[in-house]
Short mmCIF file of all heavy atoms in Angstrom, two decimals:
data_model
loop_
_atom_site.label_atom_id
_atom_site.label_comp_id
_atom_site.label_asym_id
_atom_site.label_seq_id
_atom_site.Cartn_x
_atom_site.Cartn_y
_atom_site.Cartn_z
N MET A 392 16.52 48.14 2.50
CA MET A 392 17.70 47.26 2.40
C MET A 392 18.88 48.04 1.81
O MET A 392 18.76 48.70 0.80
CB MET A 392 17.36 46.05 1.52
CG MET A 392 18.47 45.00 1.42
SD MET A 392 18.85 44.17 2.97
CE MET A 392 17.73 42.76 2.84
N LEU A 393 20.01 47.95 2.48
CA LEU A 393 21.22 48.63 2.03
C LEU A 393 21.85 47.85 0.88
O LEU A 393 21.91 46.63 0.90
CB LEU A 393 22.20 48.70 3.20
CG LEU A 393 23.42 49.62 3.03
CD1 LEU A 393 22.98 51.07 2.90
CD2 LEU A 393 24.33 49.46 4.23
N VAL A 394 22.29 48.60 -0.13
CA VAL A 394 22.92 47.96 -1.29
C VAL A 394 24.32 48.51 -1.46
O VAL A 394 24.56 49.70 -1.27
CB VAL A 394 22.09 48.23 -2.57
CG1 VAL A 394 22.83 47.75 -3.81
CG2 VAL A 394 20.74 47.53 -2.48
N THR A 395 25.28 47.67 -1.78
CA THR A 395 26.63 48.13 -2.02
C THR A 395 27.19 47.47 -3.27
O THR A 395 26.68 46.46 -3.74
CB THR A 395 27.55 47.84 -0.81
OG1 THR A 395 28.79 48.50 -0.99
CG2 THR A 395 27.80 46.35 -0.66
N LYS A 396 28.24 48.08 -3.80
CA LYS A 396 28.93 47.49 -4.93
C LYS A 396 30.02 46.57 -4.43
O LYS A 396 30.79 46.94 -3.55
CB LYS A 396 29.54 48.59 -5.81
CG LYS A 396 28.51 49.40 -6.58
CD LYS A 396 29.20 50.32 -7.57
CE LYS A 396 28.19 51.03 -8.47
NZ LYS A 396 27.29 51.92 -7.69
N ILE A 397 30.08 45.39 -5.00
CA ILE A 397 31.10 44.42 -4.59
C ILE A 397 31.88 43.98 -5.82
O ILE A 397 31.32 43.81 -6.90
CB ILE A 397 30.45 43.24 -3.84
CG1 ILE A 397 31.51 42.40 -3.14
CG2 ILE A 397 29.57 42.39 -4.75
CD1 ILE A 397 30.94 41.50 -2.05
N ARG A 398 33.20 43.86 -5.64
CA ARG A 398 34.08 43.54 -6.77
C ARG A 398 34.59 42.11 -6.63
O ARG A 398 35.22 41.75 -5.64
CB ARG A 398 35.25 44.53 -6.77
CG ARG A 398 36.13 44.41 -8.01
CD ARG A 398 37.21 45.50 -7.96
NE ARG A 398 37.96 45.54 -9.20
CZ ARG A 398 38.99 44.73 -9.48
NH1 ARG A 398 39.35 43.83 -8.62
NH2 ARG A 398 39.63 44.84 -10.63
N CYS A 399 34.36 41.34 -7.68
CA CYS A 399 34.77 39.94 -7.67
C CYS A 399 36.29 39.82 -7.71
O CYS A 399 36.94 40.41 -8.57
CB CYS A 399 34.17 39.23 -8.89
SG CYS A 399 34.75 37.55 -9.09
N PRO A 400 36.89 39.07 -6.77
CA PRO A 400 38.35 38.88 -6.74
C PRO A 400 38.84 37.96 -7.86
O PRO A 400 40.02 37.92 -8.15
CB PRO A 400 38.59 38.26 -5.37
CG PRO A 400 37.32 37.55 -5.04
CD PRO A 400 36.22 38.37 -5.66
N MET A 401 37.93 37.25 -8.48
CA MET A 401 38.30 36.31 -9.53
C MET A 401 38.38 36.98 -10.89
O MET A 401 39.34 36.83 -11.64
CB MET A 401 37.30 35.15 -9.60
CG MET A 401 37.03 34.46 -8.27
SD MET A 401 38.41 33.48 -7.67
CE MET A 401 38.25 32.05 -8.74
N CYS A 402 37.35 37.76 -11.24
CA CYS A 402 37.27 38.32 -12.59
C CYS A 402 37.18 39.84 -12.61
O CYS A 402 37.26 40.45 -13.67
CB CYS A 402 36.08 37.71 -13.34
SG CYS A 402 34.49 38.28 -12.73
N GLY A 403 37.00 40.47 -11.45
CA GLY A 403 36.93 41.92 -11.40
C GLY A 403 35.56 42.50 -11.71
O GLY A 403 35.39 43.71 -11.74
N HIS A 404 34.60 41.65 -11.93
CA HIS A 404 33.23 42.11 -12.21
C HIS A 404 32.66 42.81 -10.97
O HIS A 404 32.77 42.32 -9.85
CB HIS A 404 32.35 40.91 -12.59
CG HIS A 404 30.91 41.26 -12.77
ND1 HIS A 404 30.44 41.93 -13.87
CD2 HIS A 404 29.82 41.04 -11.97
CE1 HIS A 404 29.12 42.11 -13.75
NE2 HIS A 404 28.72 41.58 -12.61
N VAL A 405 32.07 43.99 -11.19
CA VAL A 405 31.46 44.73 -10.10
C VAL A 405 29.95 44.61 -10.21
O VAL A 405 29.38 44.83 -11.27
CB VAL A 405 31.88 46.21 -10.13
CG1 VAL A 405 31.17 46.99 -9.01
CG2 VAL A 405 33.39 46.34 -9.97
N GLN A 406 29.32 44.26 -9.12
CA GLN A 406 27.87 44.16 -9.11
C GLN A 406 27.34 44.70 -7.80
O GLN A 406 28.08 44.85 -6.83
CB GLN A 406 27.43 42.71 -9.30
CG GLN A 406 27.72 41.81 -8.10
CD GLN A 406 27.51 40.34 -8.41
OE1 GLN A 406 28.22 39.75 -9.23
NE2 GLN A 406 26.53 39.74 -7.78
N GLU A 407 26.05 45.03 -7.79
CA GLU A 407 25.44 45.51 -6.56
C GLU A 407 24.81 44.33 -5.84
O GLU A 407 24.16 43.48 -6.46
CB GLU A 407 24.37 46.56 -6.87
CG GLU A 407 24.96 47.86 -7.36
CD GLU A 407 23.93 48.96 -7.43
OE1 GLU A 407 22.73 48.64 -7.51
OE2 GLU A 407 24.32 50.14 -7.43
N ILE A 408 25.04 44.29 -4.53
CA ILE A 408 24.40 43.24 -3.73
C ILE A 408 23.75 43.86 -2.51
O ILE A 408 24.14 44.93 -2.06
CB ILE A 408 25.38 42.14 -3.28
CG1 ILE A 408 26.50 42.72 -2.41
CG2 ILE A 408 25.97 41.40 -4.47
CD1 ILE A 408 27.29 41.65 -1.70
N GLU A 409 22.76 43.17 -2.00
CA GLU A 409 22.09 43.63 -0.80
C GLU A 409 22.92 43.27 0.43
O GLU A 409 23.45 42.17 0.51
CB GLU A 409 20.71 42.99 -0.69
CG GLU A 409 19.75 43.50 -1.75
CD GLU A 409 18.38 42.85 -1.62
OE1 GLU A 409 18.24 41.89 -0.84
OE2 GLU A 409 17.47 43.31 -2.32
N VAL A 410 23.03 44.21 1.34
CA VAL A 410 23.78 43.99 2.58
C VAL A 410 22.80 43.64 3.69
O VAL A 410 21.91 44.43 3.98
CB VAL A 410 24.57 45.26 2.97
CG1 VAL A 410 25.37 45.01 4.24
CG2 VAL A 410 25.47 45.70 1.84
N PRO A 411 22.97 42.49 4.30
CA PRO A 411 22.11 42.16 5.46
C PRO A 411 22.32 43.19 6.56
O PRO A 411 23.43 43.62 6.79
CB PRO A 411 22.63 40.78 5.90
CG PRO A 411 23.40 40.24 4.74
CD PRO A 411 23.96 41.44 4.03
N GLU A 412 21.24 43.60 7.23
CA GLU A 412 21.36 44.68 8.20
C GLU A 412 22.03 44.28 9.50
O GLU A 412 22.67 45.09 10.15
CB GLU A 412 19.97 45.25 8.50
CG GLU A 412 19.47 46.14 7.37
CD GLU A 412 18.10 46.72 7.68
OE1 GLU A 412 17.86 47.05 8.86
OE2 GLU A 412 17.29 46.84 6.76
N ASN A 413 21.87 43.05 9.90
CA ASN A 413 22.48 42.65 11.18
C ASN A 413 23.06 41.24 11.11
O ASN A 413 23.02 40.49 12.06
CB ASN A 413 21.46 42.75 12.31
CG ASN A 413 20.13 42.13 11.92
OD1 ASN A 413 20.10 41.23 11.10
ND2 ASN A 413 19.06 42.63 12.48
N ALA A 414 23.60 40.91 9.95
CA ALA A 414 24.25 39.62 9.80
C ALA A 414 25.39 39.77 8.81
O ALA A 414 25.43 40.72 8.04
CB ALA A 414 23.26 38.57 9.31
N CYS A 415 26.30 38.82 8.85
CA CYS A 415 27.39 38.83 7.89
C CYS A 415 27.00 38.00 6.68
O CYS A 415 26.22 37.08 6.76
CB CYS A 415 28.66 38.26 8.52
SG CYS A 415 29.41 39.40 9.69
N LEU A 416 27.58 38.38 5.55
CA LEU A 416 27.33 37.64 4.33
C LEU A 416 28.56 36.78 4.04
O LEU A 416 29.60 37.30 3.66
CB LEU A 416 27.08 38.64 3.19
CG LEU A 416 26.51 38.07 1.90
CD1 LEU A 416 25.09 37.56 2.12
CD2 LEU A 416 26.49 39.15 0.82
N PRO A 417 28.48 35.47 4.25
CA PRO A 417 29.66 34.60 4.13
C PRO A 417 30.08 34.34 2.69
O PRO A 417 31.24 34.00 2.44
CB PRO A 417 29.22 33.31 4.83
CG PRO A 417 27.74 33.31 4.74
CD PRO A 417 27.30 34.75 4.76
N PHE A 418 29.17 34.49 1.75
CA PHE A 418 29.53 34.25 0.34
C PHE A 418 28.51 34.92 -0.57
O PHE A 418 27.43 35.31 -0.13
CB PHE A 418 29.59 32.75 0.04
CG PHE A 418 28.32 32.01 0.35
CD1 PHE A 418 27.27 31.98 -0.55
CD2 PHE A 418 28.18 31.35 1.56
CE1 PHE A 418 26.10 31.30 -0.25
CE2 PHE A 418 27.01 30.67 1.88
CZ PHE A 418 25.96 30.65 0.96
N TYR A 419 28.88 35.09 -1.82
CA TYR A 419 27.92 35.57 -2.82
C TYR A 419 28.31 34.99 -4.16
O TYR A 419 29.43 34.50 -4.35
CB TYR A 419 27.90 37.10 -2.86
CG TYR A 419 29.00 37.73 -3.69
CD1 TYR A 419 28.75 38.21 -4.98
CD2 TYR A 419 30.30 37.83 -3.19
CE1 TYR A 419 29.76 38.78 -5.74
CE2 TYR A 419 31.31 38.40 -3.95
CZ TYR A 419 31.03 38.87 -5.21
OH TYR A 419 32.02 39.43 -5.97
N LYS A 420 27.38 35.03 -5.09
CA LYS A 420 27.65 34.48 -6.41
C LYS A 420 27.92 35.61 -7.39
O LYS A 420 27.12 36.54 -7.52
CB LYS A 420 26.45 33.65 -6.89
CG LYS A 420 26.72 32.89 -8.16
CD LYS A 420 25.56 31.93 -8.43
CE LYS A 420 25.85 31.04 -9.63
NZ LYS A 420 25.94 31.79 -10.89
N CYS A 421 29.07 35.55 -8.05
CA CYS A 421 29.43 36.58 -9.02
C CYS A 421 28.64 36.40 -10.31
O CYS A 421 28.58 35.31 -10.86
CB CYS A 421 30.93 36.49 -9.32
SG CYS A 421 31.45 37.55 -10.67
N ASN A 422 28.06 37.51 -10.77
CA ASN A 422 27.29 37.45 -12.02
C ASN A 422 28.20 37.47 -13.25
O ASN A 422 27.76 37.21 -14.36
CB ASN A 422 26.31 38.62 -12.10
CG ASN A 422 25.16 38.44 -11.13
OD1 ASN A 422 24.85 37.33 -10.72
ND2 ASN A 422 24.53 39.54 -10.75
N GLY A 423 29.47 37.82 -13.02
CA GLY A 423 30.39 37.90 -14.14
C GLY A 423 30.94 36.54 -14.55
O GLY A 423 30.86 36.13 -15.70
N CYS A 424 31.53 35.82 -13.57
CA CYS A 424 32.16 34.54 -13.87
C CYS A 424 31.40 33.36 -13.29
O CYS A 424 31.73 32.22 -13.57
CB CYS A 424 33.60 34.54 -13.37
SG CYS A 424 33.77 34.76 -11.59
N GLY A 425 30.38 33.64 -12.48
CA GLY A 425 29.56 32.57 -11.94
C GLY A 425 30.17 31.88 -10.74
O GLY A 425 29.60 30.92 -10.23
N GLU A 426 31.33 32.37 -10.28
CA GLU A 426 31.97 31.75 -9.13
C GLU A 426 31.22 32.09 -7.85
O GLU A 426 30.67 33.18 -7.71
CB GLU A 426 33.42 32.25 -8.98
CG GLU A 426 34.38 31.68 -10.01
CD GLU A 426 34.73 30.23 -9.71
OE1 GLU A 426 34.64 29.82 -8.53
OE2 GLU A 426 35.08 29.52 -10.66
N LEU A 427 31.25 31.15 -6.91
CA LEU A 427 30.75 31.43 -5.58
C LEU A 427 31.92 31.99 -4.78
O LEU A 427 32.90 31.30 -4.54
CB LEU A 427 30.23 30.14 -4.93
CG LEU A 427 29.32 30.32 -3.72
CD1 LEU A 427 28.05 31.07 -4.10
CD2 LEU A 427 28.97 28.98 -3.11
N ILE A 428 31.84 33.26 -4.43
CA ILE A 428 32.94 33.93 -3.75
C ILE A 428 32.78 33.79 -2.24
O ILE A 428 31.80 34.24 -1.67
CB ILE A 428 32.98 35.43 -4.13
CG1 ILE A 428 32.96 35.61 -5.66
CG2 ILE A 428 34.21 36.09 -3.52
CD1 ILE A 428 34.07 34.88 -6.39
N GLN A 429 33.79 33.18 -1.63
CA GLN A 429 33.74 32.94 -0.18
C GLN A 429 34.52 34.01 0.57
O GLN A 429 35.44 34.63 0.02
CB GLN A 429 34.37 31.57 0.13
CG GLN A 429 33.83 30.45 -0.72
CD GLN A 429 32.78 29.63 -0.01
OE1 GLN A 429 32.31 29.99 1.07
NE2 GLN A 429 32.40 28.52 -0.62
N THR A 430 34.19 34.18 1.83
CA THR A 430 34.92 35.11 2.69
C THR A 430 36.34 34.61 2.92
O THR A 430 36.53 33.46 3.27
CB THR A 430 34.22 35.22 4.04
OG1 THR A 430 32.86 35.59 3.84
CG2 THR A 430 34.90 36.27 4.91
N PRO A 431 37.35 35.47 2.72
CA PRO A 431 38.73 35.06 3.00
C PRO A 431 38.92 34.80 4.50
O PRO A 431 38.20 35.36 5.31
CB PRO A 431 39.56 36.28 2.58
CG PRO A 431 38.66 37.12 1.76
CD PRO A 431 37.27 36.83 2.22
N THR A 432 39.88 33.97 4.83
CA THR A 432 40.20 33.72 6.23
C THR A 432 40.55 35.03 6.93
O THR A 432 41.18 35.91 6.34
CB THR A 432 41.41 32.77 6.33
OG1 THR A 432 41.17 31.66 5.47
CG2 THR A 432 41.59 32.26 7.74
N ASP A 433 40.13 35.17 8.18
CA ASP A 433 40.40 36.36 8.99
C ASP A 433 39.62 37.59 8.55
O ASP A 433 39.93 38.70 8.97
CB ASP A 433 41.90 36.72 9.01
CG ASP A 433 42.74 35.61 9.61
OD1 ASP A 433 42.19 34.84 10.43
OD2 ASP A 433 43.93 35.51 9.27
N THR A 434 38.63 37.42 7.70
CA THR A 434 37.80 38.54 7.30
C THR A 434 36.36 38.27 7.73
O THR A 434 35.92 37.13 7.74
CB THR A 434 37.86 38.76 5.79
OG1 THR A 434 39.21 38.82 5.38
CG2 THR A 434 37.17 40.06 5.39
N CYS A 435 35.68 39.33 8.10
CA CYS A 435 34.32 39.23 8.63
C CYS A 435 33.36 38.59 7.63
O CYS A 435 32.67 37.64 7.94
CB CYS A 435 33.86 40.64 9.01
SG CYS A 435 32.13 40.78 9.42
N CYS A 436 33.34 39.14 6.42
CA CYS A 436 32.40 38.66 5.43
C CYS A 436 32.80 39.21 4.06
O CYS A 436 33.73 40.00 3.96
CB CYS A 436 30.98 39.10 5.78
SG CYS A 436 30.77 40.88 5.79
N VAL A 437 32.12 38.81 3.01
CA VAL A 437 32.49 39.28 1.67
C VAL A 437 32.25 40.78 1.50
O VAL A 437 32.91 41.42 0.69
CB VAL A 437 31.73 38.50 0.56
CG1 VAL A 437 32.23 37.06 0.48
CG2 VAL A 437 30.24 38.56 0.73
N ILE A 438 31.32 41.33 2.27
CA ILE A 438 31.10 42.77 2.21
C ILE A 438 32.36 43.51 2.66
O ILE A 438 32.85 44.42 2.00
CB ILE A 438 29.92 43.20 3.13
CG1 ILE A 438 28.65 42.41 2.82
CG2 ILE A 438 29.68 44.70 3.03
CD1 ILE A 438 28.02 42.70 1.52
N CYS A 439 32.89 43.10 3.81
CA CYS A 439 34.10 43.73 4.35
C CYS A 439 35.30 43.48 3.44
O CYS A 439 36.17 44.33 3.28
CB CYS A 439 34.39 43.19 5.73
SG CYS A 439 33.15 43.62 6.97
N ALA A 440 35.37 42.31 2.84
CA ALA A 440 36.54 41.93 2.07
C ALA A 440 36.56 42.57 0.68
O ALA A 440 37.61 43.03 0.23
CB ALA A 440 36.58 40.40 1.94
N TYR A 441 35.44 42.62 0.00
CA TYR A 441 35.46 42.97 -1.43
C TYR A 441 34.63 44.19 -1.82
O TYR A 441 34.71 44.62 -2.96
CB TYR A 441 35.00 41.76 -2.25
CG TYR A 441 35.87 40.54 -2.03
CD1 TYR A 441 35.32 39.34 -1.61
CD2 TYR A 441 37.25 40.61 -2.24
CE1 TYR A 441 36.11 38.22 -1.40
CE2 TYR A 441 38.04 39.51 -2.03
CZ TYR A 441 37.48 38.31 -1.61
OH TYR A 441 38.27 37.23 -1.40
N SER A 442 33.84 44.72 -0.91
CA SER A 442 33.03 45.88 -1.30
C SER A 442 33.66 47.16 -0.79
O SER A 442 34.66 47.14 -0.07
CB SER A 442 31.60 45.76 -0.76
OG SER A 442 31.53 46.23 0.57
N GLU A 443 33.07 48.28 -1.14
CA GLU A 443 33.61 49.58 -0.75
C GLU A 443 33.17 49.99 0.65
O GLU A 443 33.58 51.03 1.15
CB GLU A 443 33.16 50.64 -1.77
CG GLU A 443 31.65 50.74 -1.90
CD GLU A 443 31.22 51.43 -3.20
OE1 GLU A 443 32.08 51.81 -4.00
OE2 GLU A 443 30.00 51.57 -3.40
N THR A 444 32.33 49.19 1.25
CA THR A 444 31.86 49.50 2.60
C THR A 444 32.16 48.34 3.54
O THR A 444 32.60 47.28 3.11
CB THR A 444 30.33 49.74 2.62
OG1 THR A 444 29.69 48.57 2.15
CG2 THR A 444 29.95 50.91 1.74
N LYS A 445 31.92 48.57 4.82
CA LYS A 445 31.98 47.51 5.80
C LYS A 445 30.55 47.09 6.08
O LYS A 445 29.62 47.88 5.97
CB LYS A 445 32.64 48.00 7.10
CG LYS A 445 34.06 48.48 6.93
CD LYS A 445 34.97 47.32 6.57
CE LYS A 445 36.40 47.79 6.43
NZ LYS A 445 37.28 46.74 5.92
N CYS A 446 30.37 45.85 6.50
CA CYS A 446 29.02 45.40 6.79
C CYS A 446 28.54 46.03 8.10
O CYS A 446 29.35 46.34 8.97
CB CYS A 446 28.95 43.88 6.87
SG CYS A 446 29.69 43.17 8.34
N PRO A 447 27.24 46.25 8.21
CA PRO A 447 26.68 46.86 9.43
C PRO A 447 27.00 46.04 10.68
O PRO A 447 27.23 46.60 11.74
CB PRO A 447 25.18 46.86 9.15
CG PRO A 447 25.07 46.82 7.67
CD PRO A 447 26.24 46.00 7.20
N ALA A 448 27.06 44.75 10.54
CA ALA A 448 27.32 43.88 11.70
C ALA A 448 28.70 44.14 12.30
O ALA A 448 28.88 44.11 13.50
CB ALA A 448 27.18 42.41 11.32
N SER A 449 29.70 44.42 11.44
CA SER A 449 31.06 44.63 11.95
C SER A 449 31.17 45.92 12.74
O SER A 449 31.99 46.04 13.64
CB SER A 449 32.06 44.64 10.79
OG SER A 449 31.95 45.83 10.04
N SER A 450 30.37 46.92 12.43
CA SER A 450 30.44 48.19 13.13
C SER A 450 29.79 48.10 14.50
O SER A 450 29.94 48.99 15.33
CB SER A 450 29.77 49.30 12.31
OG SER A 450 28.40 49.04 12.15
N LEU A 451 29.05 47.04 14.73
CA LEU A 451 28.41 46.86 16.03
C LEU A 451 29.35 46.25 17.04
O LEU A 451 29.12 46.30 18.23
CB LEU A 451 27.17 45.96 15.88
CG LEU A 451 26.02 46.51 15.04
CD1 LEU A 451 24.92 45.47 14.90
CD2 LEU A 451 25.46 47.78 15.67
N ARG A 452 30.41 45.66 16.55
CA ARG A 452 31.34 44.98 17.46
C ARG A 452 32.23 45.96 18.19
O ARG A 452 32.63 46.96 17.59
CB ARG A 452 32.22 43.99 16.71
CG ARG A 452 31.38 42.83 16.21
CD ARG A 452 32.23 41.65 15.86
NE ARG A 452 31.39 40.62 15.21
CZ ARG A 452 31.43 40.40 13.89
NH1 ARG A 452 32.24 41.06 13.14
NH2 ARG A 452 30.64 39.50 13.37
ZN1 LIG B 798 33.68 36.90 -10.92
#
């Protein structure tokens, strides 16, 4: 399982999350502030929006 660092847009907390290999991740829960972080409009998923990498699914398109 691929793991990436994702940065919370609410509080700036950085945590590692697992990246689905062939699916998008529409939301994740921040361990810093407890917010459920949703994908911004016009963005593939939270991986693409807030992490240092793109999700594997987006590179297949
Ligand atoms: Zn947060």
Side-chain angles (χ1 to χ4, degrees):
M392 184 65 91
L393 192 64
V394 172
T395 190
K396 289 188 173 63
I397 193 162
R398 188 176 187 277
C399 173
M401 309 289 284
C402 71
H404 175 75
V405 177
Q406 70 190 66
E407 290 190 338
I408 61 167
E409 291 180 350
V410 181
E412 283 181 37
N413 46 28
C415 286
L416 193 66
F418 56 84
Y419 82 101
K420 188 171 185 294
C421 172
N422 288 337
C424 61
E426 286 286 335
L427 197 62
I428 309 304
Q429 310 261 10
T430 305
T432 311
D433 298 334
T434 308
C435 170
C436 62
V437 290
I438 306 291
C439 295
Y441 301 124
S442 85
E443 58 199 1
T444 60
K445 299 293 182 187
C446 73
S449 73
S450 63
L451 295 176
R452 292 198 187 105

